[in-house]
Amino acid sequence: MKIKQNSLIISCQAVEGEILHGYGIMHLMAKAAVYGGADGIRANSVSDINDIQKTVDVPVIGIIKAVYPGSDVYITPTMKELKALLEGTKVDVIALDATFRTRPGGEQLADLVRYARENYPQVELMADCATYEEAQNADRMGFDYVGTTLRGYTADTKGIAIPDTDLLKQMTSTLKAKVIAEGGIWEVGQLREVLKTGVHAVVIGSSVTRPADITKRFKKEFEALK
């Protein structure tokens, strides 16, 4: 399945160290999200993806988060994670870190893209970017989707307010790839502004599926009143 125009995609993830990790409940998060109207799901790990695809019938963007010494790239960083997704799931889209940062072992993004295209042409690819230059590069490489997932999370974009609607406007007006807005969308007002940029789809995560983070935001307001 392809990600349709104006899709609302909900990220249902819990990595090691997070409260909801290890309980096998992400498929229920996905079920609740789709019940509420989600048009797609973004998920991490082969097991969660497979459970989710057994539970809901919407497009799934799959990733594997893996930490390697000496590299800040952790979203589907190497051929190992890419092959695990391609061989172990029936995922519709695979997202990869498409920043200019050095990949583990000196692997190259172009090699991962080439492998996926040659061996699993039916699987679409999403580039998780932080800057316009990275988005341009991913577009030239032929990614189906280019997202702002890593805006504000890399050394050269740290501190930039997200969602960055100026960046989204620049991307939607110049790139061939479909643009997916992801990152920092907590309020309906922010979503309205993002949609005005002409993005193909929107991914929302923490503000829907991370109750600890949601609670912290409300608690912060209580503390401010003391």
Side-chain angles (χ1 to χ4, degrees), residues 132-203:
Y132 178 68
E133 292 73 24
E134 292 164 352
Q136 273 187 314
N137 184 60
D139 194 35
R140 286 192 292 266
M141 294 176 69
F143 274 84
D144 302 284
Y145 307 97
V146 177
T148 53
T149 315
L150 293 168
R151 186 72 165 172
Y153 295 97
T154 60
D156 54 342
T157 64
K158 187 176 181 180
I160 292 177
I162 56 174
D164 188 338
T165 54
D166 289 336
L167 174 61
L168 288 168
K169 289 175 185 176
Q170 189 177 19
M171 289 168 65
T172 56
S173 63
T174 60
L175 304 183
K176 293 180 180 178
K178 298 178 179 69
V179 177
I180 296 181
E182 181 172 4
I185 301 173
W186 281 88
E187 311 291 347
V188 173
Q190 291 175 314
L191 177 60
R192 290 196 188 103
E193 293 305 309
V194 164
L195 292 175
K196 290 177 183 178
T197 67
V199 295
H200 182 76
V202 175
V203 175

Coordinates of all heavy atoms in Angstrom, one line a residue, residues 132-203:
Y132 N 17.7 21.1 4.5 CA 17.3 21.2 3.1 C 18.3 20.5 2.2 O 17.9 19.8 1.2 CB 17.0 22.6 2.7 CG 16.6 22.7 1.2 CD1 15.3 22.3 0.8 CD2 17.4 23.3 0.3 CE1 14.9 22.3 -0.5 CE2 17.0 23.4 -1.1 CZ 15.8 22.9 -1.4 OH 15.4 23.0 -2.8
E133 N 19.5 20.7 2.4 CA 20.6 20.1 1.6 C 20.5 18.6 1.6 O 20.7 17.9 0.6 CB 22.0 20.6 2.0 CG 22.2 22.0 1.7 CD 21.5 23.0 2.7 OE1 21.1 22.5 3.8 OE2 21.2 24.1 2.3
E134 N 20.2 18.0 2.8 CA 20.1 16.6 2.9 C 18.8 16.1 2.1 O 18.8 15.0 1.5 CB 20.0 16.2 4.3 CG 21.3 16.4 5.1 CD 21.2 16.3 6.6 OE1 20.0 16.3 7.1 OE2 22.2 16.3 7.2
A135 N 17.7 16.9 2.2 CA 16.5 16.5 1.5 C 16.7 16.6 0.0 O 16.2 15.7 -0.7 CB 15.4 17.5 1.9
Q136 N 17.5 17.6 -0.5 CA 17.8 17.7 -1.9 C 18.6 16.5 -2.4 O 18.3 15.9 -3.4 CB 18.7 18.9 -2.1 CG 17.9 20.2 -2.4 CD 18.9 21.3 -2.8 OE1 19.9 21.5 -2.2 NE2 18.5 22.0 -3.9
N137 N 19.6 16.1 -1.5 CA 20.4 14.9 -1.9 C 19.5 13.6 -2.0 O 19.7 12.8 -2.9 CB 21.5 14.7 -0.8 CG 22.5 13.6 -1.2 OD1 23.1 13.6 -2.2 ND2 22.6 12.7 -0.3
A138 N 18.7 13.5 -1.0 CA 17.8 12.3 -1.0 C 16.9 12.3 -2.2 O 16.6 11.3 -2.8 CB 17.0 12.3 0.3
D139 N 16.4 13.5 -2.6 CA 15.5 13.6 -3.7 C 16.3 13.2 -5.0 O 15.7 12.5 -5.8 CB 15.1 15.1 -3.9 CG 13.9 15.2 -4.8 OD1 13.1 14.3 -4.9 OD2 13.9 16.3 -5.5
R140 N 17.5 13.6 -5.1 CA 18.3 13.2 -6.3 C 18.6 11.7 -6.3 O 18.7 11.1 -7.4 CB 19.7 14.0 -6.3 CG 19.6 15.5 -6.6 CD 20.9 16.1 -6.9 NE 21.7 16.1 -5.7 CZ 21.8 17.2 -4.9 NH1 21.1 18.3 -5.2 NH2 22.5 17.2 -3.8
M141 N 18.6 11.1 -5.1 CA 18.9 9.7 -5.1 C 17.6 8.9 -5.4 O 17.7 7.6 -5.5 CB 19.4 9.3 -3.7 CG 20.7 9.9 -3.3 SD 21.3 9.5 -1.7 CE 21.6 7.8 -1.8
G142 N 16.5 9.5 -5.5 CA 15.3 8.9 -5.9 C 14.4 8.3 -4.8 O 13.6 7.5 -5.0
F143 N 14.5 8.9 -3.6 CA 13.7 8.5 -2.5 C 12.2 8.8 -2.9 O 11.9 9.8 -3.5 CB 14.0 9.2 -1.2 CG 15.1 8.5 -0.4 CD1 16.4 8.7 -0.7 CD2 14.8 7.6 0.6 CE1 17.5 8.1 0.0 CE2 15.8 7.0 1.4 CZ 17.1 7.2 1.0
D144 N 11.3 8.0 -2.4 CA 9.9 8.2 -2.7 C 9.3 9.3 -1.8 O 8.5 10.1 -2.2 CB 9.1 6.9 -2.5 CG 9.5 5.8 -3.4 OD1 9.2 5.8 -4.6 OD2 10.3 4.9 -2.8
Y145 N 9.8 9.3 -0.6 CA 9.3 10.3 0.4 C 10.6 10.9 1.1 O 11.6 10.3 1.3 CB 8.5 9.6 1.5 CG 7.3 8.8 0.9 CD1 7.4 7.4 0.8 CD2 6.1 9.4 0.6 CE1 6.4 6.7 0.3 CE2 5.1 8.7 0.1 CZ 5.2 7.3 -0.1 OH 4.2 6.6 -0.6
V146 N 10.4 12.2 1.4 CA 11.5 12.9 2.1 C 10.8 13.6 3.4 O 9.9 14.3 3.2 CB 12.2 14.0 1.3 CG1 13.2 14.7 2.1 CG2 12.9 13.3 0.1
G147 N 11.4 13.3 4.5 CA 10.7 13.8 5.8 C 11.7 14.6 6.6 O 12.9 14.6 6.4
T148 N 11.1 15.4 7.5 CA 11.9 16.3 8.3 C 12.1 15.7 9.7 O 12.3 16.4 10.7 CB 11.1 17.6 8.5 OG1 9.8 17.3 9.0 CG2 11.0 18.4 7.2
T149 N 12.1 14.4 9.8 CA 12.2 13.6 11.0 C 13.3 14.0 11.9 O 13.2 14.1 13.1 CB 12.4 12.1 10.7 OG1 11.5 11.8 9.6 CG2 12.2 11.2 11.9
L150 N 14.5 14.4 11.4 CA 15.7 14.6 12.2 C 16.0 16.1 12.4 O 17.0 16.5 12.9 CB 16.9 13.9 11.6 CG 16.7 12.4 11.7 CD1 17.8 11.6 10.9 CD2 16.8 11.9 13.2
R151 N 15.1 17.0 11.9 CA 15.3 18.4 12.1 C 15.3 18.7 13.6 O 14.4 18.3 14.3 CB 14.1 19.2 11.4 CG 14.2 20.7 11.5 CD 15.3 21.2 10.5 NE 15.2 22.6 10.2 CZ 16.1 23.2 9.5 NH1 17.2 22.6 9.0 NH2 16.0 24.5 9.3
G152 N 16.3 19.4 14.1 CA 16.4 19.7 15.5 C 17.1 18.6 16.3 O 17.4 18.8 17.5
Y153 N 17.4 17.5 15.7 CA 18.0 16.4 16.4 C 19.5 16.1 16.0 O 20.0 15.1 16.5 CB 17.2 15.1 16.3 CG 15.8 15.3 16.9 CD1 14.7 15.6 16.1 CD2 15.6 15.1 18.2 CE1 13.4 15.8 16.6 CE2 14.3 15.3 18.8 CZ 13.3 15.6 18.0 OH 12.0 15.8 18.6
T154 N 20.0 16.9 15.1 CA 21.4 16.7 14.7 C 22.2 17.9 15.3 O 21.7 18.9 15.6 CB 21.6 16.6 13.2 OG1 21.1 17.8 12.6 CG2 20.8 15.4 12.6
A155 N 23.6 17.7 15.3 CA 24.4 18.7 15.9 C 24.2 20.1 15.2 O 24.3 21.1 15.8 CB 25.9 18.3 15.8
D156 N 24.0 20.1 13.8 CA 24.0 21.3 13.1 C 22.6 21.9 13.1 O 22.4 23.0 12.5 CB 24.5 21.2 11.7 CG 23.9 20.0 10.9 OD1 23.2 19.2 11.5 OD2 24.0 20.0 9.7
T157 N 21.6 21.2 13.6 CA 20.2 21.7 13.6 C 19.6 21.8 15.1 O 18.5 22.2 15.3 CB 19.2 20.9 12.8 OG1 19.1 19.6 13.3 CG2 19.7 20.8 11.3
K158 N 20.5 21.5 16.0 CA 20.0 21.5 17.4 C 19.6 22.9 17.8 O 20.3 23.9 17.5 CB 21.1 21.1 18.4 CG 20.7 20.9 19.8 CD 21.9 20.3 20.6 CE 21.4 20.1 22.1 NZ 22.5 19.6 22.9
G159 N 18.4 23.0 18.5 CA 17.9 24.3 18.9 C 17.0 25.0 17.9 O 16.3 26.0 18.3
I160 N 16.9 24.5 16.7 CA 15.9 25.0 15.7 C 14.5 24.6 16.1 O 14.3 23.5 16.4 CB 16.3 24.5 14.3 CG1 17.6 25.1 13.8 CG2 15.1 24.8 13.3 CD1 18.0 24.6 12.5
A161 N 13.6 25.6 16.1 CA 12.2 25.3 16.5 C 11.6 24.4 15.5 O 11.7 24.6 14.2 CB 11.5 26.6 16.6
I162 N 10.9 23.4 15.9 CA 10.1 22.5 15.1 C 8.7 22.4 15.5 O 8.4 22.6 16.7 CB 10.8 21.1 15.0 CG1 10.9 20.5 16.5 CG2 12.1 21.1 14.3 CD1 11.4 19.1 16.5
P163 N 7.8 22.2 14.6 CA 8.0 22.0 13.2 C 8.4 23.2 12.4 O 7.9 24.3 12.8 CB 6.6 21.5 12.7 CG 5.6 22.2 13.7 CD 6.3 22.1 15.0
D164 N 9.3 23.1 11.5 CA 9.9 24.2 10.7 C 9.1 24.3 9.4 O 9.4 23.7 8.4 CB 11.4 23.9 10.4 CG 12.1 25.1 9.8 OD1 11.4 25.9 9.3 OD2 13.3 25.1 9.9
T165 N 8.1 25.2 9.5 CA 7.2 25.4 8.3 C 8.0 26.0 7.1 O 7.6 25.7 6.0 CB 6.0 26.2 8.6 OG1 6.3 27.4 9.2 CG2 5.1 25.4 9.6
D166 N 8.9 26.8 7.4 CA 9.7 27.5 6.3 C 10.5 26.4 5.5 O 10.5 26.4 4.3 CB 10.7 28.5 6.8 CG 10.0 29.7 7.3 OD1 8.9 30.0 6.9 OD2 10.6 30.4 8.2
L167 N 11.0 25.4 6.2 CA 11.7 24.3 5.6 C 10.8 23.5 4.8 O 11.0 23.1 3.6 CB 12.5 23.5 6.6 CG 13.1 22.2 6.1 CD1 14.2 22.5 5.0 CD2 13.7 21.4 7.2
L168 N 9.6 23.2 5.3 CA 8.6 22.4 4.7 C 8.1 23.1 3.4 O 8.0 22.4 2.3 CB 7.4 22.1 5.6 CG 7.7 21.2 6.7 CD1 6.5 21.2 7.7 CD2 7.9 19.8 6.2
K169 N 7.9 24.4 3.4 CA 7.5 25.1 2.2 C 8.6 25.0 1.1 O 8.3 24.9 -0.1 CB 7.3 26.6 2.5 CG 6.0 26.9 3.4 CD 5.9 28.3 3.8 CE 4.7 28.6 4.7 NZ 4.7 30.0 5.1
Q170 N 9.9 25.2 1.5 CA 11.0 25.1 0.6 C 11.0 23.7 0.0 O 11.2 23.5 -1.3 CB 12.3 25.4 1.3 CG 13.5 25.5 0.4 CD 14.7 25.9 1.2 OE1 14.8 25.7 2.4 NE2 15.7 26.4 0.5
M171 N 10.8 22.7 0.8 CA 10.8 21.3 0.3 C 9.7 21.0 -0.7 O 9.9 20.4 -1.8 CB 10.8 20.3 1.5 CG 12.1 20.3 2.2 SD 12.0 19.4 3.8 CE 11.7 17.8 3.3
T172 N 8.5 21.4 -0.3 CA 7.3 21.1 -1.1 C 7.3 21.8 -2.5 O 6.7 21.4 -3.4 CB 6.0 21.4 -0.4 OG1 6.0 22.8 0.0 CG2 5.8 20.5 0.8
S173 N 8.0 23.0 -2.5 CA 8.0 23.8 -3.7 C 9.1 23.4 -4.7 O 9.1 23.9 -5.8 CB 8.1 25.3 -3.4 OG 9.3 25.6 -2.7
T174 N 10.1 22.6 -4.2 CA 11.2 22.3 -5.1 C 11.6 20.9 -5.3 O 12.3 20.5 -6.3 CB 12.5 23.0 -4.5 OG1 12.7 22.5 -3.2 CG2 12.3 24.5 -4.4
L175 N 11.1 20.0 -4.4 CA 11.5 18.6 -4.5 C 10.5 17.7 -5.3 O 9.3 18.0 -5.3 CB 11.6 18.0 -3.1 CG 12.6 18.6 -2.2 CD1 12.7 17.9 -0.9 CD2 14.0 18.8 -2.8
K176 N 11.0 16.7 -6.0 CA 10.1 15.8 -6.7 C 9.5 14.8 -5.7 O 8.3 14.4 -5.9 CB 10.9 15.1 -7.8 CG 11.3 16.0 -8.9 CD 12.1 15.1 -10.0 CE 12.6 16.0 -11.1 NZ 13.4 15.2 -12.1
A177 N 10.2 14.4 -4.7 CA 9.7 13.4 -3.8 C 8.6 14.0 -3.0 O 8.4 15.2 -2.8 CB 10.8 13.0 -2.8
K178 N 7.7 13.1 -2.5 CA 6.6 13.5 -1.6 C 7.2 13.9 -0.3 O 8.0 13.1 0.3 CB 5.6 12.4 -1.5 CG 4.9 12.0 -2.8 CD 4.0 10.9 -2.7 CE 3.3 10.5 -4.0 NZ 4.2 9.8 -4.9
V179 N 6.7 15.0 0.2 CA 7.3 15.5 1.5 C 6.4 15.1 2.7 O 5.2 15.2 2.6 CB 7.4 17.1 1.5 CG1 7.9 17.6 2.9 CG2 8.3 17.5 0.4
I180 N 7.0 14.5 3.7 CA 6.3 14.1 4.9 C 6.8 15.0 6.1 O 8.0 15.0 6.4 CB 6.5 12.6 5.2 CG1 5.9 11.8 4.1 CG2 5.9 12.3 6.6 CD1 6.0 10.3 4.3
A181 N 5.9 15.7 6.7 CA 6.3 16.5 7.9 C 6.3 15.6 9.1 O 5.3 14.8 9.4 CB 5.2 17.6 8.1
E182 N 7.4 15.6 9.8 CA 7.5 14.8 11.0 C 8.4 15.5 12.0 O 9.4 16.1 11.7 CB 8.1 13.4 10.7 CG 8.3 12.5 11.9 CD 8.7 11.1 11.6 OE1 9.0 10.8 10.4 OE2 8.7 10.3 12.5
G183 N 7.9 15.5 13.3 CA 8.7 16.1 14.3 C 8.1 17.4 14.9 O 7.8 18.4 14.2
G184 N 7.9 17.4 16.2 CA 7.5 18.6 17.0 C 6.1 19.0 16.9 O 5.7 20.1 17.3
I185 N 5.2 18.2 16.3 CA 3.8 18.6 16.2 C 3.0 18.1 17.4 O 2.8 16.9 17.6 CB 3.2 18.0 14.9 CG1 3.9 18.4 13.7 CG2 1.7 18.3 14.8 CD1 3.5 17.8 12.4
W186 N 2.7 19.0 18.3 CA 2.1 18.7 19.6 C 0.7 19.3 19.7 O -0.2 18.8 20.4 CB 2.9 19.3 20.7 CG 4.1 18.5 21.1 CD1 5.3 18.5 20.6 CD2 4.1 17.4 22.1 NE1 6.1 17.6 21.2 CE2 5.4 16.9 22.1 CE3 3.1 16.9 22.9 CZ2 5.8 15.8 22.9 CZ3 3.5 15.8 23.8 CH2 4.8 15.3 23.8
E187 N 0.4 20.3 18.9 CA -0.9 21.0 19.0 C -1.6 21.1 17.6 O -1.0 21.0 16.6 CB -0.7 22.5 19.5 CG 0.2 22.6 20.7 CD -0.4 22.0 22.0 OE1 -1.7 21.8 21.9 OE2 0.3 21.9 23.0
V188 N -2.9 21.2 17.7 CA -3.7 21.2 16.5 C -3.4 22.5 15.6 O -3.3 22.4 14.4 CB -5.2 21.2 16.8 CG1 -6.1 21.5 15.5 CG2 -5.7 19.9 17.4
G189 N -3.1 23.6 16.3 CA -2.7 24.8 15.6 C -1.4 24.6 14.8 O -1.3 25.1 13.7
Q190 N -0.4 23.8 15.4 CA 0.8 23.5 14.6 C 0.5 22.7 13.4 O 1.0 22.9 12.3 CB 1.8 22.8 15.5 CG 2.4 23.6 16.7 CD 3.2 22.8 17.6 OE1 2.8 21.7 18.0 NE2 4.4 23.3 17.9
L191 N -0.4 21.7 13.6 CA -0.8 20.9 12.5 C -1.4 21.7 11.3 O -1.1 21.5 10.2 CB -1.8 19.8 12.9 CG -2.3 18.8 11.9 CD1 -1.2 18.1 11.2 CD2 -3.3 17.9 12.5
R192 N -2.2 22.6 11.7 CA -2.9 23.5 10.7 C -1.8 24.2 9.8 O -1.9 24.3 8.6 CB -3.8 24.5 11.3 CG -5.1 23.9 11.9 CD -6.1 25.0 12.2 NE -7.2 24.5 12.9 CZ -7.5 24.7 14.2 NH1 -6.6 25.4 14.9 NH2 -8.5 24.2 14.8
E193 N -0.8 24.8 10.5 CA 0.2 25.5 9.8 C 1.1 24.6 8.9 O 1.5 24.9 7.8 CB 1.1 26.2 10.8 CG 0.4 27.3 11.6 CD -0.2 28.4 10.7 OE1 0.5 28.9 9.8 OE2 -1.4 28.7 10.8
V194 N 1.3 23.4 9.4 CA 2.1 22.4 8.6 C 1.3 22.0 7.4 O 1.9 21.9 6.3 CB 2.4 21.1 9.5 CG1 2.8 20.0 8.6 CG2 3.4 21.4 10.5
L195 N 0.0 21.8 7.5 CA -0.8 21.4 6.3 C -0.8 22.5 5.3 O -1.0 22.2 4.1 CB -2.2 21.0 6.8 CG -2.3 19.7 7.6 CD1 -3.7 19.5 8.1 CD2 -1.8 18.5 6.9
K196 N -0.7 23.7 5.7 CA -0.7 24.8 4.7 C 0.5 24.8 3.8 O 0.5 25.5 2.8 CB -0.8 26.2 5.5 CG -2.1 26.5 6.2 CD -2.0 27.8 6.9 CE -3.3 28.1 7.7 NZ -3.2 29.3 8.5
T197 N 1.6 24.1 4.2 CA 2.8 24.0 3.4 C 2.7 23.1 2.2 O 3.6 23.1 1.4 CB 4.0 23.6 4.2 OG1 3.8 22.2 4.6 CG2 4.1 24.5 5.5
G198 N 1.6 22.4 2.1 CA 1.4 21.5 1.0 C 2.1 20.1 1.1 O 2.3 19.4 0.1
V199 N 2.3 19.7 2.3 CA 3.0 18.4 2.5 C 2.1 17.2 2.1 O 0.8 17.4 2.1 CB 3.4 18.2 4.0 CG1 4.5 19.1 4.4 CG2 2.2 18.3 4.9
H200 N 2.7 16.1 1.7 CA 1.9 15.0 1.3 C 1.2 14.2 2.5 O 0.1 13.8 2.4 CB 2.8 14.0 0.6 CG 2.2 12.8 0.0 ND1 1.4 12.8 -1.1 CD2 2.1 11.5 0.5 CE1 0.9 11.6 -1.4 NE2 1.4 10.8 -0.4
A201 N 2.0 14.2 3.6 CA 1.5 13.5 4.8 C 2.1 14.0 6.0 O 3.1 14.8 5.9 CB 1.7 12.0 4.6
V202 N 1.6 13.7 7.2 CA 2.1 14.1 8.4 C 2.3 12.9 9.4 O 1.4 12.1 9.4 CB 1.2 15.1 9.1 CG1 1.7 15.5 10.5 CG2 1.1 16.4 8.2
V203 N 3.5 12.9 10.0 CA 3.7 11.9 11.1 C 3.7 12.5 12.4 O 4.3 13.5 12.7 CB 5.1 11.1 10.9 CG1 5.3 10.2 12.1 CG2 5.1 10.4 9.6

